[in-house]
Amino acid sequence: MELLDTYIARRAFLAAGLRPSTVTLPSTSDDGGGGEARTIHYWAPPGEPRLPPLLLIHGFGPMATWQWRGQVGLFSRRFHVIVPDLLCFGASSSCCPSSQPPSESAQAAALLDALPALVGTTTVAARTRVAVAGTSYGGFVAYAMARAAGPARVGPVVISNSDLLKTAEDDSAFLERAGGGWTHPADVLMPLDARGARRLMELTFYRKQASAMLPDFVIRDTMKKLFSDKRKEKIELMNATTVGTDAFQLTPLPQDVLLIWGERDQIFPLDKAFAVKSCLGDNVRLEIIKKTGHVPQMEDPDRFNKIVLDFLLGSQGSPSNEHNH
């Protein structure tokens, strides 16, 4: 199952003209300039960009290619699409043992450091405004990027199914919805057995997934392959997220923002969408995609893609409009 999904996802990325590459991040004061260099693996079209850049940021799932495979083909016709693996995910660097695991703000800072290389190598490309879209945890990172860099560098912003007002009470409510005696969200979100995997699929998707019907041993082996890699680091990463703590304050963004939510999301329920919208400012548009759960870009890619493209192409400050002037 995992090999087939990986093959299908890679094929979609290759068909869209994207190729895998790696960028080395500049040294920071945190690493003292020594030790192993940190790298970000990403997919993007080779060569200088001829279209406005769009960064697609994955969530806490196993593969960026798996989460965005339904978008890259269409989006690549209008944008220079860049799909990175966040630190501690995929082929990007692990969290450095000598430093704390990155918060979503540190993930955003790493992407901003890498942006000139991700977008292109020329001075003009380095100054190019980048549209960003993030799903779930990736929405936390997209928000942090937009807030840190400001509208001159980042915007417009698409945030999908990301509860930027998440609290400890929300985590407890999520565990209650999950049932089964789990004690930490990571236990539900990174299962290692067939029972946990089936429950995660039920919570993530509104529609029944064919993979849930596979034999237990196939699901179990797949889960171990997907969620054993960097498992300890990812649990630390989840704990390092500042959203939901006193260290995080949700403030309005000056950029145009599209907030997308799956109507039947059981991980971040729909009522949170309205609360997040009310805190993000006047430039926010909320779109609810019916009969989808936590990953509407996977369950209804046609609807999701139309909403996102209409927003990006219609946004007054979009890099697409700047590119065309």
Side-chain angles (χ1 to χ4, degrees):
M1 180 176 73
E2 186 241 354
L3 289 175
L4 179 61
D5 277 349
T6 303
Y7 171 76
I8 292 171
R10 283 181 62 91
R11 188 173 175 182
F13 274 56
L14 292 169
L18 276 62
R19 299 293 182 267
S21 191
T22 302
V23 57
T24 300
L25 294 170
S27 297
T28 67
S29 57
D30 291 339
D31 58 29
E36 190 174 335
R38 296 184 307 159
T39 59
I40 287 183
H41 174 270
Y42 66 98
W43 288 79
E48 292 289 339
R50 285 177 276 186
L51 293 168
L54 169 61
L55 194 68
L56 301 179
I57 308 175
H58 65 82
F60 228 88
M63 296 175 288
T65 49
W66 180 72
Q67 295 179 46
W68 292 114
R69 70 188 187 198
Q71 283 64 54
V72 289
L74 184 63
F75 288 2
S76 289
R77 297 176 192 172
R78 304 299 295 267
F79 293 92
H80 182 86
V81 173
I82 307 156
V83 189
D85 287 331
L86 294 170
L87 293 173
C88 304
F89 290 90
S92 290
S93 288
S94 299
C95 304
C96 186
S98 61
S99 61
Q100 294 296 315
S103 65
E104 73 284 359
S105 295
Q107 294 275 21
L111 288 179
L112 289 170
D113 284 342
L115 215 48
L118 295 177
V119 172
T121 56
T122 67
T123 305
V124 173
R127 292 199 305 265
T128 300
R129 192 168 190 253
V130 180
V132 296
T135 178
S136 193
Y137 174 77
F140 297 171
V141 178
Y143 171 81
M145 280 188 75
R147 190 161 80 168
R153 288 188 71 196
V154 173
V157 184
V158 179
I159 296 173
S160 178
N161 291 74
S162 303
D163 184 3
L164 291 161
L165 291 170
K166 183 176 74 71
T167 64
E169 289 75 19
D170 290 317
D171 286 342
S172 298
F174 169 64
L175 290 172
E176 284 184 26
R177 288 193 298 277
W182 283 289
T183 57
H184 190 278
D187 300 331
V188 185
L189 297 173
M190 295 190 292
L192 292 176
D193 58 24
R195 169 181 162 269
R198 288 196 176 93
R199 187 63 188 128
L200 177 59
M201 281 186 256
E202 290 169 355
L203 291 165
T204 303
F205 297 95
Y206 171 69
R207 299 173 175 89
K208 185 80 170 177
Q209 298 298 295
S211 52
M213 307 302 290
L214 291 168
D216 281 5
F217 76 92
V218 175
I219 295 179
R220 183 179 62 250
D221 290 350
T222 300
M223 290 302 104
K224 286 182 178 177
K225 287 177 185 174
L226 291 179
F227 293 117
S228 293
D229 179 47
K230 304 174 185 172
R231 183 178 182 82
K232 182 173 180 291
E233 293 176 348
K234 287 178 182 174
I235 291 173
E236 292 175 351
L237 198 69
M238 201 176 287
N239 292 334
T241 303
T242 65
V243 174
T245 72
D246 292 339
F248 177 84
Q249 182 68 43
L250 183 61
T251 56
L253 291 175
Q255 296 94 333
D256 287 344
V257 179
L258 171 64
L259 191 60
I260 300 182
W261 224 275
E263 177 190 33
R264 301 299 184 92
D265 190 347
Q266 294 189 71
I267 294 178
F268 295 146
L270 179 60
D271 62 322
K272 298 308 294 284
F274 300 100
V276 170
K277 180 181 184 296
S278 69
C279 290
L280 272 178
D282 298 329
N283 303 323
V284 185
R285 170 177 152 198
L286 172 61
E287 291 281 353
I288 299 164
I289 301 184
K290 294 182 177 180
K291 297 182 179 179
T292 64
H294 189 60
V295 283
Q297 80 275 16
M298 298 179 69
E299 288 199 90
D300 194 347
D302 291 344
R303 179 72 181 139
F304 182 94
N305 294 349
K306 183 180 188 311
I307 290 170
V308 171
L309 279 180
D310 286 351
F311 167 74
L312 292 177
L313 297 174
S315 176
Q316 287 189 328
S318 78
S320 175
N321 288 334
E322 291 175 7
H323 196 82
N324 291 329
H325 289 337

